[in-house]
Amino acid sequence: MPTIPFEVFRGSPGQTRFDTFSLDIPEHTPILTALLKIRDEIDPTLTLRYSCRQAICGSCAMRINGKSRLACLTPVGPEFRARGKLRIEPMANQPVLRDLVVDQGPFWQRYHSIRPYLVPDPQHPLPVGKESPMTPEQVAQFQETPRCIACASCYSACPAIASDGDFLGPMALAKLFRFVVDPRDGAFHERLLGVQNQSLWLCLRCNLCVESCPKDVRPAERIHDLKWMANQELGALERGSRHAIKFASNIREGGLLNEMKLARETLGLVGMLGQIPKGIELARHGKSIRKHPPIQGREELDAIYRELDRPEDLQHRPRVPGQGVKGPTQQPSKAGGAA
Amino acid sequence: MKVAYYPGCVAQESGKELDMATRAVASRLGLELVDFPTFSCCGSGFVDESNLTLNVAINARNLAIAERAGLSTVMTVCSTCQGMLKLAGQVLATTPTIRSRVDATLRGIGYTYSGSATPKHFLQIIVEDLGGAEALRSKVRRPLRGLKVAAFYGCHLLRPHDRMQFDDPEDPHTFEDVIRALGAEPVDYRGRVMCCGFPIQFVKPATAERIAGAQILDAQQHGADAMATPCPLCHISLDTYQREAGRQVGHQLNMPVFHFPQLVGLALGLDPGTLGLARHLVSTQGALAKLGAVAVPA
Amino acid sequence: MVGAGLAGQRAALEAIRSGLDVGILSKLHPLRSHSGAAQGGINAALGPQDSVKDHVYDTVKGSDYLADQDAVEILCREAGPTVIEMEHFGTIFNRAPDGSLDRRAFGGASYSRTIFAADRTGLALLQALYEEISRETRVRIYEEWDAIRLVSRGGRVHGVVALDRKTGTVEGFAAKSVVVATGPAGRIYARTTNSHASTGDGGALAYRAGAYLKDMEFVQFHPTALPGSGILITEGARGEGGILRNKNGERFMERYAPHVKDLASRDVVSRAIATEVAEGRGFPDGTCHLELMHLGREKVETKLQEIVGFCRNFAGIDPVTEPIPVYPAQHYMMGGIHTNPRGETNLAGLYAAGEAACVSVHGANRLGANSLLETLVYGKIAGANAAEFARKTTAGELTPEDVSTAEKELHALWERREGEPPARLRNDLQSTMEADVGIYRTPEQLEAARRKLGEIRTRYASCYVEDKSTVYNVNLTDAIELGHMLDLAEVIVAGALARTESRGAHVRRDFPRRDDANWMKHTMALWSPQGPVLSYLPVTVTEYAPKERVY
């Protein structure tokens, strides 16, 4: 292993720089260990959050070559080899305090905003002196979310958080899911109603949270589950859910998407008025949106809908199984990447 | 190589230039495209938000159509189509309860899907089946020399990785390899793996446009002359809504955005008209001028 | 409350619900506390054949009869209600197929009585308790504040002086009563399963304020930690059927504990591994192997999820198909701030709970899955009694001088222009304790340790903090923590030198047997300028007279 130069973000807002520290260390050394070595042996003024060094306290999330990762869980070698450098920056989407330490206030605020505690259900009080009953199906709902260590890697990776302060973010919504599926909780309806505003539907399904989560909580998939539950419980209350529901009925008609009709149904007539200038512009470039002719075998599609678009199928949303446990960090298939 | 060609909805209508370029490039690469007028929409991730089983069944039918014709590859030209077809395969392989519902439904309309036909994006086919970047390089007639191109992958081509099994989900390189093979210079910027904002264009346009704007700006600040994307939905966000995106991020943006096959086609020597470049909202003239390529007919 | 792990939060909850306003100081966000790293489970005699009495007996036997039996009775009696309460707070425990709480076997227990949440029981409990606290309004949590002084006068505690990590400001917190629940101190050792934050701050602050430290020489070494990093492989791995083998493939625990083999208590298993390696039957990397392969992929991946991740990430091995190399590492301090079963210390208004405290329910050796239980049972008791004291007493008299004195000392350290960096002193402290105050102890080693600690103490007087920033200065907090660790290390060595017997985790080569005639007593240490002053307190025995321990 060659000497590895660590390019580390330093300083406070207004006065920032990158310092390069070179270390001779084995490839499998976790990046946290390397940073602590820098602190102990080269520059004691480097500051960062850390504690357990075993991926359970959630303190040491940061950006490593742009990816949001736990430093304790990410070995030096593969990251260095993939990009020929190791650039260490504080998490994104949170104000930097100093060096690798960010202000997590907004992250925690979002967490607290979902009422992260059991709300008693007056209809079904908890049994006195013994545990609450739980079926294996109910227990199975807790497959992923209890693994969350609130490290905020997902929050740092999320492009929706970066662009819209209304979004609750992957962690808070995954936490919400944990309460929504809890049979001991009495606020199922209210909880869904609370996010069936734009927040739930601002998730982009980009799955960056899924890749950055060190505990394989798969937040995007939990958000997807919440969207589905919200549709079932509350119906099409606003644009996001209306779009999802209308999309399904839209393609049933001709097999391909009728873009004009979907826009009308999602946005409403008033919303459509706002689209007129864009429509004219598109038409000028030959991009007019017409209705596709129906596909051949449209009746087959219709048969699928008749068979599967029924309430009993909607009751049943099996999990797409995840890895269970996140293995070693992805090893890029080959060096290079972008220039 | 012969593949079932799954153009998806957008390439058949508002993004027809993608279809034009795909057919022209495939022909140059000796890739035979088989059309199926029976293919339906993939659900675009939205059907999944209301009914997963239905979404899987729709795409199982699409895959079964190709399988029945004896074709093992369904070629997509859209990251989202690729994602949805892959999702169907993954759910069928791992969730027996859905598998049995879907199998029974397909049987009812005369299909079976055994899993032998699988989806692959055009980019993936070039890299994995047509000899990769090197083979492509040998076919280049008009190297895109001097052009700095920012690859923009589109989320669903890459993530989640355990479903897509293609490239690195957060630090991919295949598109850049292709860009190099075409003689152009790839741009290294974080935005290349970010979201374009399209999924919430109808939900909250300002946010969607701000997200698109952030990525275009990122590419611009890293010196890109043009962006290129393997996904027509990303193209809508980056090209069709670029002016609005610029307004959201407070910058006048003027970033030509190529569909992936258009970029390949240019290097293979195809003329801009064949590639439908005039159909973009943001003019590609500037980028083409840099290449000394033929002017785009107005 | 000083400390926001399970004990601190449980104490806070009790005080809040009795109608008081509570402030919690913690150098970490509560969800980042070391309680969250506890893996295996929490004991409660809920099984059909099991009983509180059996739990008491196992705990007393496990403690090598040094535990106070009245305190153990409270612990075990409250275990069931505590686990049920935590379940009602929302803890997501593993369930048996019939929906009841699943239980697993643990070392030193007569029955399967360990309730668990995969192998992240501590995290599950911490989440649920934090959730329960977060519905309360009469609490303010000072996250990332370091307590730097516990102020006492006239035998009573008056408050705390603390440093805000984010701004570098020092402030005083006057309090009617204070509960110290700062958790472990494992970082005194070079190889520990504990987090970097486990520096024994509360114990040292209380000691400096005039509280007794008790039984500090009893340091538990967990048998199964990864070599190098010291990352813990839960006892639950053996509870689920994992087997230890030496390089000859021999299941050596059959020789050390013929009845329960791999599930003997921790001191026994740790000594067995150390002995196997010392006598040449270990693997070349100085380890023994823990095998889980025979349990099958499904069991390992569902019940030991974290372990699978740890092994794959931190050791590069897959426990489903390969053995895990293990060697004992420091894991737990049985000793701590002396309290009675009401959580009271010798200072009026000062309470302690959890690993920072010593009631004592663990005596000379703690049984697995009793520590999570202790944090909750005694956290609640300490919180209730601290609240009761607060209701009856006058406000704590924290003077401006109290704050400025502490601040001045801190600034003297901070503004020093040269000296030795805390990292070097810390490394020397850790390697001294690792080398000379480990599983087996000799008077020569202990004397050497005492001498070296004296030198480090002298060097600490010129410890140099290079970072002058007021924002999140961990160089400064390193130096503060080092002072705390040094205090506790001196007490450990003094107690170990004085105790001329072998009991539980304290094993003297020169006194290999337990000596009930002379040593059925707790070591009590008081701070003095010359070093710890030792005295002794008899052990409370109710039902179980000391017997030989056989597993």
mmCIF file of all heavy atoms in Angstrom, chain C residues 22-51:
data_model
loop_
_atom_site.group_PDB
_atom_site.id
_atom_site.type_symbol
_atom_site.label_atom_id
_atom_site.label_comp_id
_atom_site.label_asym_id
_atom_site.label_seq_id
_atom_site.Cartn_x
_atom_site.Cartn_y
_atom_site.Cartn_z
ATOM 1 N N VAL C 22 -36.158 18.598 35.302
ATOM 2 C CA VAL C 22 -34.899 17.873 35.245
ATOM 3 C C VAL C 22 -34.036 18.397 34.112
ATOM 4 O O VAL C 22 -34.524 18.666 33.019
ATOM 5 C CB VAL C 22 -35.169 16.362 35.039
ATOM 6 C CG1 VAL C 22 -33.872 15.592 34.831
ATOM 7 C CG2 VAL C 22 -35.943 15.789 36.224
ATOM 8 N N GLY C 23 -32.750 18.524 34.412
ATOM 9 C CA GLY C 23 -31.790 18.817 33.354
ATOM 10 C C GLY C 23 -30.885 17.611 33.192
ATOM 11 O O GLY C 23 -30.506 16.976 34.178
ATOM 12 N N ILE C 24 -30.601 17.268 31.955
ATOM 13 C CA ILE C 24 -29.684 16.160 31.704
ATOM 14 C C ILE C 24 -28.477 16.703 30.970
ATOM 15 O O ILE C 24 -28.610 17.343 29.928
ATOM 16 C CB ILE C 24 -30.342 15.062 30.830
ATOM 17 C CG1 ILE C 24 -31.660 14.583 31.433
ATOM 18 C CG2 ILE C 24 -29.377 13.905 30.629
ATOM 19 C CD1 ILE C 24 -32.363 13.512 30.600
ATOM 20 N N LEU C 25 -27.295 16.450 31.537
ATOM 21 C CA LEU C 25 -26.050 16.833 30.878
ATOM 22 C C LEU C 25 -25.453 15.586 30.265
ATOM 23 O O LEU C 25 -25.364 14.553 30.921
ATOM 24 C CB LEU C 25 -25.042 17.335 31.907
ATOM 25 C CG LEU C 25 -25.197 18.705 32.533
ATOM 26 C CD1 LEU C 25 -24.160 18.837 33.649
ATOM 27 C CD2 LEU C 25 -24.976 19.778 31.493
ATOM 28 N N SER C 26 -25.029 15.686 29.004
ATOM 29 C CA SER C 26 -24.380 14.520 28.423
ATOM 30 C C SER C 26 -23.370 14.959 27.387
ATOM 31 O O SER C 26 -23.634 15.853 26.589
ATOM 32 C CB SER C 26 -25.411 13.609 27.763
ATOM 33 O OG SER C 26 -24.751 12.591 27.057
ATOM 34 N N LYS C 27 -22.216 14.329 27.403
ATOM 35 C CA LYS C 27 -21.202 14.753 26.432
ATOM 36 C C LYS C 27 -21.493 14.211 25.040
ATOM 37 O O LYS C 27 -20.862 14.605 24.072
ATOM 38 C CB LYS C 27 -19.796 14.380 26.898
ATOM 39 C CG LYS C 27 -19.476 12.908 26.993
ATOM 40 C CD LYS C 27 -18.019 12.739 27.451
ATOM 41 C CE LYS C 27 -17.642 11.265 27.537
ATOM 42 N NZ LYS C 27 -16.240 11.086 27.926
ATOM 43 N N LEU C 28 -22.467 13.286 24.963
ATOM 44 C CA LEU C 28 -22.920 12.777 23.665
ATOM 45 C C LEU C 28 -24.411 13.029 23.536
ATOM 46 O O LEU C 28 -25.108 13.176 24.535
ATOM 47 C CB LEU C 28 -22.708 11.258 23.580
ATOM 48 C CG LEU C 28 -21.319 10.695 23.842
ATOM 49 C CD1 LEU C 28 -21.397 9.180 23.949
ATOM 50 C CD2 LEU C 28 -20.379 11.098 22.718
ATOM 51 N N HIS C 29 -24.908 13.037 22.300
ATOM 52 C CA HIS C 29 -26.350 12.973 22.142
ATOM 53 C C HIS C 29 -26.830 11.687 22.817
ATOM 54 O O HIS C 29 -26.172 10.649 22.709
ATOM 55 C CB HIS C 29 -26.723 12.965 20.658
ATOM 56 C CG HIS C 29 -28.202 13.006 20.433
ATOM 57 N ND1 HIS C 29 -28.995 11.886 20.548
ATOM 58 C CD2 HIS C 29 -29.030 14.026 20.147
ATOM 59 C CE1 HIS C 29 -30.254 12.231 20.320
ATOM 60 N NE2 HIS C 29 -30.306 13.526 20.085
ATOM 61 N N PRO C 30 -27.986 11.735 23.533
ATOM 62 C CA PRO C 30 -28.404 10.547 24.274
ATOM 63 C C PRO C 30 -28.416 9.257 23.440
ATOM 64 O O PRO C 30 -28.036 8.194 23.936
ATOM 65 C CB PRO C 30 -29.820 10.905 24.732
ATOM 66 C CG PRO C 30 -29.809 12.394 24.827
ATOM 67 C CD PRO C 30 -28.876 12.884 23.761
ATOM 68 N N LEU C 31 -28.819 9.353 22.181
ATOM 69 C CA LEU C 31 -28.888 8.132 21.372
ATOM 70 C C LEU C 31 -27.503 7.623 20.975
ATOM 71 O O LEU C 31 -27.390 6.561 20.380
ATOM 72 C CB LEU C 31 -29.730 8.369 20.113
ATOM 73 C CG LEU C 31 -31.251 8.372 20.329
ATOM 74 C CD1 LEU C 31 -31.974 8.714 19.032
ATOM 75 C CD2 LEU C 31 -31.740 7.030 20.855
ATOM 76 N N ARG C 32 -26.464 8.388 21.286
ATOM 77 C CA ARG C 32 -25.112 7.929 20.964
ATOM 78 C C ARG C 32 -24.404 7.353 22.195
ATOM 79 O O ARG C 32 -23.210 7.074 22.164
ATOM 80 C CB ARG C 32 -24.297 9.073 20.367
ATOM 81 C CG ARG C 32 -25.033 9.877 19.295
ATOM 82 C CD ARG C 32 -24.177 10.291 18.137
ATOM 83 N NE ARG C 32 -24.876 11.112 17.156
ATOM 84 C CZ ARG C 32 -25.742 10.644 16.254
ATOM 85 N NH1 ARG C 32 -26.036 9.348 16.230
ATOM 86 N NH2 ARG C 32 -26.335 11.453 15.397
ATOM 87 N N SER C 33 -25.147 7.212 23.287
ATOM 88 C CA SER C 33 -24.569 6.693 24.528
ATOM 89 C C SER C 33 -24.074 5.260 24.347
ATOM 90 O O SER C 33 -24.558 4.528 23.490
ATOM 91 C CB SER C 33 -25.632 6.687 25.633
ATOM 92 O OG SER C 33 -26.159 7.975 25.808
ATOM 93 N N HIS C 34 -23.148 4.882 25.220
ATOM 94 C CA HIS C 34 -22.589 3.544 25.094
ATOM 95 C C HIS C 34 -23.587 2.443 25.455
ATOM 96 O O HIS C 34 -23.405 1.287 25.072
ATOM 97 C CB HIS C 34 -21.315 3.406 25.939
ATOM 98 C CG HIS C 34 -20.561 2.156 25.634
ATOM 99 N ND1 HIS C 34 -20.083 1.867 24.368
ATOM 100 C CD2 HIS C 34 -20.225 1.093 26.401
ATOM 101 C CE1 HIS C 34 -19.479 0.683 24.383
ATOM 102 N NE2 HIS C 34 -19.555 0.198 25.600
ATOM 103 N N SER C 35 -24.662 2.779 26.160
ATOM 104 C CA SER C 35 -25.721 1.773 26.410
ATOM 105 C C SER C 35 -26.153 1.131 25.106
ATOM 106 O O SER C 35 -26.499 -0.053 25.066
ATOM 107 C CB SER C 35 -26.958 2.432 27.037
ATOM 108 O OG SER C 35 -26.663 3.013 28.273
ATOM 109 N N GLY C 36 -26.144 1.920 24.042
ATOM 110 C CA GLY C 36 -26.607 1.425 22.747
ATOM 111 C C GLY C 36 -25.733 0.330 22.169
ATOM 112 O O GLY C 36 -26.140 -0.381 21.257
ATOM 113 N N ALA C 37 -24.534 0.194 22.697
ATOM 114 C CA ALA C 37 -23.628 -0.820 22.158
ATOM 115 C C ALA C 37 -23.832 -2.175 22.819
ATOM 116 O O ALA C 37 -23.266 -3.168 22.381
ATOM 117 C CB ALA C 37 -22.181 -0.368 22.328
ATOM 118 N N ALA C 38 -24.631 -2.214 23.914
ATOM 119 C CA ALA C 38 -24.885 -3.499 24.586
ATOM 120 C C ALA C 38 -25.618 -4.406 23.610
ATOM 121 O O ALA C 38 -26.578 -3.998 22.976
ATOM 122 C CB ALA C 38 -25.701 -3.284 25.843
ATOM 123 N N GLN C 39 -25.157 -5.612 23.503
ATOM 124 C CA GLN C 39 -25.666 -6.470 22.440
ATOM 125 C C GLN C 39 -26.659 -7.524 22.925
ATOM 126 O O GLN C 39 -27.809 -7.579 22.505
ATOM 127 C CB GLN C 39 -24.488 -7.163 21.729
ATOM 128 C CG GLN C 39 -23.533 -6.172 21.072
ATOM 129 C CD GLN C 39 -22.288 -6.845 20.508
ATOM 130 O OE1 GLN C 39 -22.138 -8.056 20.551
ATOM 131 N NE2 GLN C 39 -21.389 -6.055 19.958
ATOM 132 N N GLY C 40 -26.212 -8.350 23.853
ATOM 133 C CA GLY C 40 -26.880 -9.628 24.095
ATOM 134 C C GLY C 40 -28.283 -9.590 24.641
ATOM 135 O O GLY C 40 -29.180 -10.246 24.110
ATOM 136 N N GLY C 41 -28.530 -8.828 25.706
ATOM 137 C CA GLY C 41 -29.884 -8.861 26.231
ATOM 138 C C GLY C 41 -30.012 -8.351 27.651
ATOM 139 O O GLY C 41 -29.091 -7.743 28.204
ATOM 140 N N ILE C 42 -31.172 -8.580 28.210
ATOM 141 C CA ILE C 42 -31.495 -8.130 29.559
ATOM 142 C C ILE C 42 -32.175 -9.285 30.290
ATOM 143 O O ILE C 42 -33.110 -9.898 29.774
ATOM 144 C CB ILE C 42 -32.374 -6.847 29.511
ATOM 145 C CG1 ILE C 42 -32.786 -6.399 30.912
ATOM 146 C CG2 ILE C 42 -33.615 -7.043 28.630
ATOM 147 C CD1 ILE C 42 -33.348 -4.976 30.939
ATOM 148 N N ASN C 43 -31.677 -9.578 31.486
ATOM 149 C CA ASN C 43 -32.190 -10.737 32.218
ATOM 150 C C ASN C 43 -33.478 -10.430 32.960
ATOM 151 O O ASN C 43 -33.607 -9.384 33.595
ATOM 152 C CB ASN C 43 -31.147 -11.200 33.248
ATOM 153 C CG ASN C 43 -30.000 -11.937 32.599
ATOM 154 O OD1 ASN C 43 -30.163 -12.529 31.520
ATOM 155 N ND2 ASN C 43 -28.847 -11.917 33.244
ATOM 156 N N ALA C 44 -34.412 -11.364 32.904
ATOM 157 C CA ALA C 44 -35.609 -11.310 33.748
ATOM 158 C C ALA C 44 -36.155 -12.724 33.807
ATOM 159 O O ALA C 44 -36.281 -13.392 32.780
ATOM 160 C CB ALA C 44 -36.650 -10.360 33.171
ATOM 161 N N ALA C 45 -36.466 -13.181 35.017
ATOM 162 C CA ALA C 45 -36.912 -14.562 35.203
ATOM 163 C C ALA C 45 -38.377 -14.682 34.792
ATOM 164 O O ALA C 45 -39.272 -14.770 35.621
ATOM 165 C CB ALA C 45 -36.713 -14.987 36.652
ATOM 166 N N LEU C 46 -38.620 -14.666 33.497
ATOM 167 C CA LEU C 46 -39.994 -14.725 32.993
ATOM 168 C C LEU C 46 -40.352 -16.109 32.456
ATOM 169 O O LEU C 46 -41.499 -16.378 32.120
ATOM 170 C CB LEU C 46 -40.193 -13.691 31.875
ATOM 171 C CG LEU C 46 -40.072 -12.215 32.292
ATOM 172 C CD1 LEU C 46 -40.135 -11.299 31.068
ATOM 173 C CD2 LEU C 46 -41.158 -11.828 33.291
ATOM 174 N N GLY C 47 -39.366 -16.990 32.350
ATOM 175 C CA GLY C 47 -39.626 -18.323 31.806
ATOM 176 C C GLY C 47 -40.463 -19.158 32.765
ATOM 177 O O GLY C 47 -40.531 -18.868 33.963
ATOM 178 N N PRO C 48 -41.119 -20.206 32.243
ATOM 179 C CA PRO C 48 -42.042 -21.001 33.057
ATOM 180 C C PRO C 48 -41.386 -21.661 34.268
ATOM 181 O O PRO C 48 -41.980 -21.695 35.350
ATOM 182 C CB PRO C 48 -42.592 -22.034 32.067
ATOM 183 C CG PRO C 48 -41.698 -22.000 30.870
ATOM 184 C CD PRO C 48 -41.068 -20.644 30.838
ATOM 185 N N GLN C 49 -40.138 -22.177 34.109
ATOM 186 C CA GLN C 49 -39.519 -22.837 35.264
ATOM 187 C C GLN C 49 -38.680 -21.884 36.097
ATOM 188 O O GLN C 49 -38.303 -22.185 37.217
ATOM 189 C CB GLN C 49 -38.609 -23.974 34.790
ATOM 190 C CG GLN C 49 -39.344 -25.183 34.298
ATOM 191 C CD GLN C 49 -38.971 -25.490 32.846
ATOM 192 O OE1 GLN C 49 -37.901 -25.114 32.361
ATOM 193 N NE2 GLN C 49 -39.872 -26.151 32.149
ATOM 194 N N ASP C 50 -38.390 -20.755 35.521
ATOM 195 C CA ASP C 50 -37.447 -19.831 36.144
ATOM 196 C C ASP C 50 -38.097 -19.114 37.328
ATOM 197 O O ASP C 50 -39.319 -19.081 37.458
ATOM 198 C CB ASP C 50 -36.994 -18.809 35.087
ATOM 199 C CG ASP C 50 -35.620 -18.231 35.394
ATOM 200 O OD1 ASP C 50 -35.084 -18.528 36.474
ATOM 201 O OD2 ASP C 50 -35.103 -17.485 34.555
ATOM 202 N N SER C 51 -37.270 -18.547 38.190
ATOM 203 C CA SER C 51 -37.818 -17.790 39.322
ATOM 204 C C SER C 51 -36.850 -16.685 39.704
ATOM 205 O O SER C 51 -35.660 -16.734 39.371
ATOM 206 C CB SER C 51 -38.019 -18.708 40.526
ATOM 207 O OG SER C 51 -36.750 -19.081 41.045
#
